[in-house]
């Protein structure tokens, strides 16, 4: 296997944490978004959509989405389970992973990519250039605030995002919550359940990667 990573971006970090939680050592190549290496001919030969992460499997397939990478690794290396054991757990992990992608990750990205000078005319990842829309950034900030409220409500009733066990949903949530610092948003001080959960996940070795 061969893993294409970017040490500064949130989505590759999600895959990196998943790989670490599985206890795997996979050959890795760093692709610098800051240098635009994802748009190079060499990387686009691997992933024509020019997004990171990407995993080349032992079978020769190229997986370019976190969920696909996680599903492949979970199937090949089922222990420890990170996507649930029972049908109910599997459904909850994928449901909550989707919720945090749509209601946490997407608005953070909107707020960052529609304001930061580094993303001028690059408001959406990929091969097509899109101009920044400041109104989307404002809406993104409001949505991140709502996401923090949603997360606090959930974690008051559950030790982990998808249930009783640490899972892919916690990895995604942790990375998005941590990355929200780039838009100067942090977990509110009164969200004690979320702060406790964040500290618990941050103490895991994979969180330092």
């Amino acid at each position: 296997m061969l893993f294409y990573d970017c040490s500064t971006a949130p989505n590759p970090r999600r895959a990196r944490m998943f790989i670490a939680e599985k206890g795997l050592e996979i050959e890795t190549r760093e692709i610098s978004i800051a240098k635009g290496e994802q748009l190079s001919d060499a990387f686009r030969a691997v992933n024509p959509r020019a997004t990171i992460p990407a995993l080349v499997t032992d079978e020769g397939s190229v997986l370019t989405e976190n969920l696909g990478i996680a599903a492949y690794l979970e199937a090949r290396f089922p222990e420890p389970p990170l996507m649930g054991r029972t049908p109910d757990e599997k459904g909850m992990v994928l449901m909550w992973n989707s919720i945090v992608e749509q209601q946490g990750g997407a608005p953070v990205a909107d707020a960052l990519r529609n304001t930061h000078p580094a993303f001028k005319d690059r408001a959406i990842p990929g091969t097509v250039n899109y101009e920044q829309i400041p109104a989307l950034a404002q809406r993104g900030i409001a949505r991140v605030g709502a996401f923090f409220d949603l997360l606090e409500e959930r974690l008051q009733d559950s030790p982990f995002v998808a249930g009783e066990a640490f899972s892919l949903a916690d990895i995604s949530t942790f990375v998005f919550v941590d990355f929200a610092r780039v838009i100067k948003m942090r977990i509110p001080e009164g969200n004690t359940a979320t702060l406790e959960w964040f500290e618990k996940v941050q103490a895991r070795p994979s969180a330092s990667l």
Side-chain angles (χ1 to χ4, degrees):
M1 288 185 288
L2 180 59
F3 176 56
Y4 289 86
D5 194 4
C6 176
S7 59
T8 60
N11 279 322
R13 187 185 182 193
R14 292 165 61 194
R16 195 161 63 244
M17 284 185 66
F18 194 95
I19 291 167
E21 289 286 341
K22 286 291 184 182
L24 303 173
E25 294 185 6
I26 299 176
E27 181 182 352
T28 299
R29 293 183 185 170
E30 177 77 8
I31 302 297
S32 172
I33 291 177
K35 296 178 181 178
E37 291 176 353
Q38 80 277 17
L39 299 171
S40 68
D41 290 342
F43 182 69
R44 289 180 66 177
V46 177
N47 178 14
R49 289 176 295 282
T51 59
I52 314 167
L55 178 72
V56 181
T57 71
D58 283 340
E59 294 80 5
S61 298
V62 180
L63 303 174
T64 62
E65 297 293 334
N66 266 290
L67 190 56
I69 292 171
Y72 174 82
L73 295 176
E74 183 87 347
R76 284 206 59 190
F77 309 98
E79 297 295 334
L82 295 173
M83 298 179 74
R85 289 189 183 274
T86 68
D88 186 73
E89 289 174 353
K90 291 175 185 291
M92 291 293 286
V93 170
L94 291 185
M95 181 188 80
W96 277 102
N97 191 72
S98 180
I99 288 171
V100 300
E101 284 185 337
Q102 296 172 23
Q103 300 189 39
V108 170
D110 276 348
L112 174 65
R113 298 188 72 100
N114 284 286
T115 55
H116 199 288
F119 296 105
K120 179 176 171 56
D121 298 323
R122 293 286 302 154
I124 297 177
T127 59
V128 180
N129 293 333
Y130 290 94
E131 66 181 29
Q132 294 173 322
I133 302 175
L136 288 181
Q138 295 172 6
R139 186 179 71 180
I141 290 172
R143 291 186 65 207
V144 173
F147 175 67
F148 283 142
D149 292 341
L150 179 154
L151 192 57
E152 176 66 13
E153 182 179 359
R154 172 60 177 168
L155 291 171
Q156 285 179 358
D157 296 328
S158 178
F160 291 100
V161 173
E164 296 297 317
F166 178 84
S167 74
L168 170 67
D170 294 285
I171 293 174
S172 296
T173 308
F174 175 80
V175 170
F176 293 143
V177 169
D178 193 36
F179 194 66
R181 68 185 183 278
V182 300
I183 59 169
K184 297 181 172 57
M185 294 195 71
R186 307 304 294 159
I187 301 168
E189 291 184 5
N191 292 22
T192 55
T194 307
L195 288 167
E196 181 180 346
W197 164 86
F198 188 86
E199 290 178 1
K200 183 166 53 177
V201 177
Q202 192 173 39
R204 301 177 76 92
S206 67
S208 66
L209 299 176

